[in-house]
Amino acid sequence: MKVGEVFLPDDQDFKHFKNECTTDDGWTVCYDKSACRVATKKNTLSAFDVVRVQSEFNDISAELLYDVLHDSEFRATWDTAMLEGADICTVQPNSDIGYYSS
């Protein structure tokens, strides 16, 4: 993978992504309270760290949470830290690229 490279993810890419979400190898936990855990990881593709936020919500569906977080117009109405956000493109129905600035 290269910076700026966009490609259709395959099953191996999904397995790699799932592993990054579920294991702590290489991650540094910087916040772990209540039902929220934040970790960072260095990467070789850029000077930016990767940030992973894990949280558990028992009273809403995964679909609703996804919609609330990914709808940049609606998010602007409740996210006071958001400066701007936009959908850049849809790679596949379950894979998109977006922009968020706070």
Side-chain angles (χ1 to χ4, degrees):
M1 180 183 283
K2 299 176 185 172
V3 173
E5 179 180 38
V6 177
F7 60 90
L8 296 177
D10 60 20
D11 289 343
Q12 280 303 110
D13 296 315
F14 179 75
K15 287 178 185 176
H16 175 74
F17 178 76
K18 184 177 178 182
N19 186 60
E20 288 294 314
C21 293
T22 58
T23 65
D24 285 332
D25 296 341
W27 292 90
T28 301
V29 176
C30 51
Y31 181 85
D32 191 1
K33 292 185 181 174
S34 299
C36 184
R37 189 170 189 246
V38 180
T40 60
K41 185 176 188 177
K42 300 287 183 195
N43 76 80
T44 59
L45 301 176
S46 76
F48 294 102
D49 289 347
V50 178
V51 177
R52 178 180 74 187
V53 180
Q54 296 169 300
S55 194
E56 187 172 318
F57 298 91
N58 297 316
D59 53 348
I60 63 171
S61 69
E63 292 84 2
L64 178 59
L65 179 61
Y66 179 89
D67 289 344
V68 167
L69 293 175
H70 284 87
D71 182 338
S72 57
E73 288 182 28
F74 177 63
R75 187 170 183 157
T77 68
W78 63 265
D79 187 346
T80 57
M82 181 176 160
L83 297 177
E84 62 182 317
D87 296 326
I88 296 173
C89 70
T90 299
V91 179
Q92 285 185 228
N94 63 349
S95 179
D96 60 38
I97 298 173
Y99 173 77
Y100 174 87
S101 176
S102 63

